[in-house]
Amino acid sequence: MTKAIKTVSENRCFGGVQGVYSHESDATSCEMTFGLFLPEQAAHVPVPVLWYLSGLTCTHENAMTKAGAQAWAAEYGIALVFPDTSPRGEGVANDDAYDLGQGAGFYVNATQAPWAPHFRMWDYVAEELPALIGANFAIDPERQAITGHSMGGHGALTLAMSLPGRFASVSAFAPIANPTQSDWGTKQLGAYLGDDKAAWEKHDSALLMREKGFDGPVLIDQGSNDQFLDLLKPEALAEAMTAKRQDGVFRMQKGYDHSYFFVSSFMEDHVAFHAEAMLG
């Protein structure tokens, strides 16, 4: 039975439609909201889809309104999905810190109290939301790619390497690249997954890159003036890509920081990169 989707808003955008929708989620046991841009081609045929996972403190709205991705997606006839970053609402566990709890789901399935009942963002992004969108919108499930920023870059990379064959390509803007060795990771992975470090390693893109690599092309952009460089640990991912001889490019962008000014500056490159992988 197809789950009910509620339309929050729909706006004409670059010839297509930028929508915001909500639904009751089985994975997170609460109402979830997501953004979906459909290019004009989706009115006639199923279209390829690029997933964009956002970072700490963000909702579905940040990239949807700040990244400038719709213009380039419309040019290539690609849909964009903007999931939320965590479960939300009354009864959902939270923390006073910005980097734990609501807005900081880290794209994992929590096993520890008080997070386990709702914080199942891996299942939500990997399984439930793709099935929901595929059942309700003109999306081609055989042509998917994924990208993300910061915590979302971490999620994009770990999902792509853990779900071989799902995504034609993966990219990231300033990803949290080595969370098992960073305060942006040890705190959250410990809270959500407990003390079992083996469980943490399944969500570390530098470790996954060394172990598995990705079965397609990779594009990483990192700003040299990023105020969070010591927390992101991009060098670990760059070294892992080299050691694995991964098909990919790691670019250090001189003078750029961690903001959406950085993301929007290179969004055209990333959409074109994914379009080539999905469309040829």
Side-chain angles (χ1 to χ4, degrees), residues 1 9 15 29 34 46 69 84 91 103 111 122 139 141 144 158 165 177 187 190 197 208 219 245 267 271:
M1 181 176 177
S9 63
S29 299
F34 65 93
D84 203 347
T111 60
W122 181 278
I139 299 299
Q144 298 189 65
T158 55
K187 171 185 177 180
K197 300 288 181 70
L208 287 174
L219 173 61
R245 300 183 180 180
M267 182 55 71
V271 176

Side-chain angles (χ1 to χ4, degrees), residues 205-248:
S205 60
L207 298 180
L208 287 174
M209 181 61 70
R210 283 187 176 273
E211 177 189 353
K212 299 181 177 182
F214 176 63
D215 54 355
V218 177
L219 173 61
I220 308 295
D221 273 318
Q222 171 65 61
S224 67
N225 282 16
D226 193 314
Q227 59 270 45
F228 303 115
L229 269 177
D230 290 344
L231 293 166
L232 301 172
K233 299 193 177 296
E235 66 281 357
L237 180 58
E239 290 166 2
M241 289 175 65
T242 300
K244 193 64 176 179
R245 300 183 180 180
Q246 173 66 45
D247 174 13

Side-chain angles (χ1 to χ4, degrees), residues 10 54 79 101 114 117 128 134 160 174 178 192 221-222 235 240 255 260 271-273:
E10 288 183 333
S54 288
E128 184 179 25
N178 195 197
Y192 295 143
D221 273 318
Q222 171 65 61
E235 66 281 357
Y260 266 93
V271 176
F273 165 76

Side-chain angles (χ1 to χ4, degrees), residues 110-174:
T111 60
Q112 305 299 301
W115 314 105
H118 298 284
F119 280 72
R120 302 188 63 81
M121 289 301 294
W122 181 278
D123 282 354
Y124 179 69
V125 174
E127 303 300 336
E128 184 179 25
L129 189 56
L132 185 75
I133 290 175
N136 288 275
F137 300 97
I139 299 299
D140 182 354
E142 299 302 316
R143 293 185 293 173
Q144 298 189 65
I146 191 166
T147 187
H149 173 227
S150 193
M151 179 184 71
H154 139 83
L157 288 163
T158 55
L159 282 158
M161 285 186 277
S162 300
L163 300 171
R166 172 76 65 89
F167 302 106
S169 49
V170 60
S171 71
F173 301 86

